[in-house]
Amino acid sequence: MGEFDLIARHFTRPAPPGSAVVLGVGDDGALLQPTQGHQLAISTDMLVEGRHFFAGADPEALGHKALAVNLSDLAAMGARPLGFTLALALPAADDAWLAAFARGLFALADTHACPLVGGDTTRGPLNLCITVFGEVRPGRALRRDAARAGDDLWISGRTGEARLALALRRGEAWARGEPADIADVVDRMDRPTPRLALGQALAALDGAHAALDVSDGLLGDLGHILKASGVGAEVGVDALPVAPALQNLALEHRLDCLLAGGDDYELLFTADPAARDAVLAAGRTTDVAVTRIGRIAAAPGLRLLDARGHRIEAPRRGFDHFAD
Ligand code: ADP
Ligand code: MG
């Protein structure tokens, strides 16, 4: 199978009617027509074999995850997806692998009406790079630099399950759990859910300010908001939602999963306390749990508090590809 057969067979589909796609796969470039007066939101994320996933990983799950992590970035901007491109380096043109990868990819793309509009395909060590294009009303994007002192700090869903799944897969001694819980946490690692509807609902609220998607651990990623916004924060450790699978871990490991796990793809966001009911309503209408876990403070720095308001020490910081 040559490059063009491969693209035609696995990655060429008609643009869905009513989408922003004027011209999709097959020409020198794609043409997208955003809604009049909207801004483009653009994000790129790359998944490298041996770095972001294990050699031999299930191709269908990889197709899902490669797009999911990109859509999660659009969600964190409060943007609506318009389409995406896919740059693929493949060690071989393996038809069964490509079919399964495309199945996982397009299932998620269809769920969010986000068509594939182009890309590039080459031979090389397995590497999946997606760029997503979305749109947002001017002034409505949820930026990292928009947190204000006095804001509530919120998290969608719950953190830490993907970290536990990774530890189970690596056979780390501290990681254990019931089989049903393990299936759940593995799913959380392999098939993350981008919180697109919630992100867009928050962007429509006057009181929602800053947001990001937690990919490298809650504390490390919160640090990005604090730095960009020039503020500090207090996080109530006992307010963090805890998945059943994490409940029986030793405290040290539970905190490490919750606060520094990574691969969570939940939205961490700040909002005016006057918008509390509206934030809860946004969670309800988009079917995502939202939990208030702290507040933004004018004083710089990140303070962890227990249920009685006493300071506690943070576990290690978030994941950094160049730090280890
Ligand atoms: P060019 O020579 O302009 O780089 P290519 O031969 O790489 O074009 O690609 C031909 C067409 O196929 C282009 O429209 C490109 O966007 C599309 N394409 C290539 N690889 C992929 C892919 N993995 N997924 C989707 N579209 C792809
Ligand atoms: Mg090309």
Side-chain angles (χ1 to χ4, degrees):
M1 182 172 45
E3 177 189 337
F4 297 105
D5 295 333
L6 182 164
I7 296 165
R9 175 129 42 134
H10 294 291
F11 299 115
T12 307
R13 306 197 322 171
S19 76
V21 183
V22 177
L23 186 62
V25 170
D27 213 307
D28 296 308
L31 297 172
L32 298 182
Q33 181 64 63
T35 306
Q36 180 99 44
H38 283 49
Q39 291 173 338
L40 272 181
I42 302 166
S43 184
T44 296
D45 249 315
M46 180 157 62
L47 295 187
V48 176
E49 185 177 69
R51 187 79 214 172
H52 302 93
F53 59 90
F54 294 99
D58 170 24
E60 188 167 349
L62 273 183
H64 174 98
K65 188 162 181 176
L67 182 57
V69 302
N70 277 278
L71 290 175
S72 180
D73 284 318
L74 283 190
M77 296 302 291
R80 181 177 80 91
L82 299 175
F84 71 102
T85 59
L86 168 66
L88 262 183
L90 298 168
D94 176 339
D95 206 45
W97 192 96
L98 282 162
F101 175 79
R103 215 164 37 241
L105 182 80
F106 285 123
L108 185 64
D110 291 348
T111 300
H112 295 290
C114 182
L116 176 62
V117 299
D120 200 23
T121 308
T122 178
R123 193 182 286 271
L126 186 57
N127 190 329
L128 318 164
C129 183
I130 286 180
T131 299
V132 280
F133 302 87
E135 65 178 20
V136 63
R137 280 190 214 296
R140 283 289 173 183
L142 303 167
R143 299 166 49 137
R144 295 179 179 197
D145 62 4
R148 301 179 199 167
D151 276 359
D152 290 329
L153 182 64
W154 297 79
I155 187 83
S156 72
R158 54 203 187 192
T159 58
E161 285 158 285
R163 175 69 186 93
L164 176 57
L166 179 66
L168 286 164
R169 198 164 277 175
R170 286 178 175 162
E172 292 176 26
W174 59 268
R176 61 202 131 71
E178 301 300 320
D181 290 343
I182 290 175
D184 277 353
V185 298
V186 167
D187 216 51
R188 289 275 296 167
M189 176 168 70
D190 289 343
R191 308 182 61 82
T193 305
R195 304 299 190 191
L196 280 160
L198 177 64
Q200 289 164 66
L202 293 174
L205 287 186
D206 283 329
H209 295 153
L212 54 63
D213 66 320
V214 178
S215 54
D216 297 329
L218 195 157
L219 290 190
D221 283 335
L222 174 56
H224 298 313
I225 288 182
L226 302 186
K227 187 163 181 225
S229 299
V231 293
E234 278 143 25
V235 175
V237 166
D238 292 288
L240 293 169
V242 182
L246 271 59
Q247 260 150 19
N248 294 321
L249 296 178
L251 180 65
E252 169 203 359
H253 294 296
R254 183 162 74 239
L255 283 183
D256 190 56
C257 286
L258 291 173
L259 295 169
D263 246 12
D264 297 303
Y265 303 104
E266 293 297 349
L267 298 185
L268 178 65
F269 58 97
T270 82
D272 193 307
R276 268 178 207 172
D277 287 343
V279 170
L280 290 170
R284 273 195 305 277
T285 52
T286 60
D287 210 19
V288 183
V290 287
T291 308
R292 200 150 49 82
I293 61 167
R295 56 183 284 273
I296 299 296
L302 178 48
R303 291 165 291 281
L304 292 184
L305 306 179
D306 66 15
R308 288 167 301 157
H310 294 156
R311 289 276 298 265
I312 58 174
E313 279 311 303
R316 69 186 172 84
R317 301 288 290 209
F319 190 74
D320 177 337
H321 286 287
F322 291 100
D324 54 346

